[in-house]
Amino acid sequence: MARTRLVAGNWKMHGSRAANQALLDALLKGGAAGRKSECAVCVPYPYLEQVSGLLRGSAIAWGAQNVSEHAKGAYTGEVSAAMLAEFGCRFVLVGHSERRQIYGESDAQVAAKFGAALQAGLTPILCVGETLEEREAARTEQVVARQLDAVTKATPLAGAVVAYEPVWAIGTGRNATPEQAQEVHAFLRQRTGGETRILYGGSVKPQNAAAIFAMPDVDGGLIGGASIVAEDFLAICKAALGAAGG
Ligand code: PGA
C-alpha cells in the first residue's frame, strides 16, 4: 500500500510577519505539494492567524509545534487542541525532543497531549528519537519503543504520523545515514503497522533529502533549519515528490 508522503516544516521559534509572507509566497509559487506528497508548516502560535489566511484553499497545510494536554482551565500560557482546531490546524507536533529535553515533558505527558490532539480532530506528529549517549549504548530501539508504546498503550495511532528524530542529528548538521534511518524506521514500522506514516527528521537538507526519502520505510521528513529557507524547503519537498513519483 502506497502511503502519501509528507514533508512538514518545523519553524521552531523563528519568523516575523514579513518573513512568513515571503516564505509562504515562495512555497505557494514553487509547487511544494502534489498528489502523492503533502506539505505542511508548523508555526509559532501567534502566526497561526496569518498563516491560515495565506494558506487557506491551497495545497499546503499548517499546524502548531505544541499543545496542552488539558482541554481548558487555569493553565496560564497553554494552548488547547480545540483552539488550534479553530485556526484550521491540521497538524501538531507532539513530543519534540526540544520539548522533552528543555521543558521536561515526560512520556506520560506526551501521551496525554497526543490523545488531546486526536480528540480535537488534529493529526499529531509524534516525535521519537534517541540521544547520542543512548545510541552509543545500543539503546536506540529500546528508547524509541518506550516513547512510542507510552502513547499507543493509551491511544491507538489512528491516522497519526510518527517522526523519527535522532536527537544527535537535530540542528547539528549531522544527519543519520539513509541506512541508519531505514533501520529504525523498519523497527518502528513493525510496531505501527503499514498505514502509519513515519517521517525522518534531523539535519535534512536539499543535498541529502533524496537519498533519505528513497528508503522504503521513510515516508517523508520533518524539517527544522532548512524549512525557513524557501529554496531549501522547496528542494526538499521536490525530493519527496520525486520519491513518490508525483
Ligand atoms: P533540523 O531540525 O532539521 O534543524 O535538524 C529538525 C527538527 O527539530 O524537527
Side-chain angles (χ1 to χ4, degrees):
M1 188 215 58
R3 293 173 293 271
T4 309
R5 299 200 175 227
L6 171 64
V7 176
N10 172 12
W11 290 4
K12 309 196 179 184
M13 200 171 74
H14 294 287
S16 66
R17 291 184 70 87
N20 305 343
Q21 168 110 43
L23 175 59
L24 294 177
D25 281 351
L27 298 185
L28 289 167
K29 284 199 193 92
R35 212 166 37 85
K36 296 185 187 158
S37 187
E38 297 178 315
C39 172
V41 290
C42 296
V43 310
Y45 294 138
Y47 297 133
L48 283 171
E49 173 84 16
Q50 180 197 18
V51 167
S52 63
L54 291 169
L55 296 181
R56 187 161 289 120
S58 81
I60 302 176
W62 62 94
Q65 302 168 13
N66 185 28
V67 64
S68 173
E69 64 270 46
H70 303 290
K72 63 176 161 184
Y75 302 105
T76 302
E78 292 291 288
V79 172
S80 75
M83 293 174 190
L84 298 181
E86 269 204 309
F87 277 98
C89 285
R90 185 148 144 240
F91 295 101
V92 62
L93 303 182
V94 172
H96 188 279
S97 64
E98 286 153 18
R99 301 291 326 166
R100 294 180 192 261
Q101 294 200 319
I102 306 171
Y103 299 102
E105 287 187 11
S106 65
D107 287 342
Q109 197 178 2
V110 170
K113 288 177 177 224
F114 183 94
L118 266 188
Q119 207 174 359
L122 304 172
T123 299
I125 300 178
L126 170 68
C127 304
V128 300
E130 82 288 3
T131 62
L132 187 57
E133 200 185 0
E134 289 163 340
R135 172 162 282 263
E136 285 173 348
R139 290 179 52 222
T140 298
E141 292 190 352
Q142 187 191 329
V143 169
V144 298
R146 190 202 74 224
Q147 292 172 333
L148 182 66
D149 293 353
V151 167
T152 53
K153 77 171 197 277
T155 319
L157 285 175
V161 176
V162 172
Y164 168 55
E165 295 208 308
V167 178
W168 47 271
I170 294 178
T172 59
R174 180 177 168 198
N175 62 288
T177 63
E179 294 72 23
Q180 283 174 321
Q182 170 57 27
E183 204 183 337
V184 181
H185 281 232
F187 174 76
L188 290 168
R189 174 77 57 218
Q190 289 169 10
R191 302 177 98 84
T192 61
E195 288 185 13
T196 302
R197 293 185 283 183
I198 308 176
L199 313 183
Y200 169 79
S203 297
V204 178
K205 306 287 175 209
Q207 300 80 334
N208 58 26
I212 295 171
F213 296 162
M215 293 290 123
D217 289 301
V218 176
D219 302 313
L222 180 56
I223 319 300
S227 76
I228 53 173
V229 180
E231 75 176 301
D232 287 359
F233 192 58
L234 268 174
I236 294 167
C237 291
K238 298 242 160 96
L241 281 161

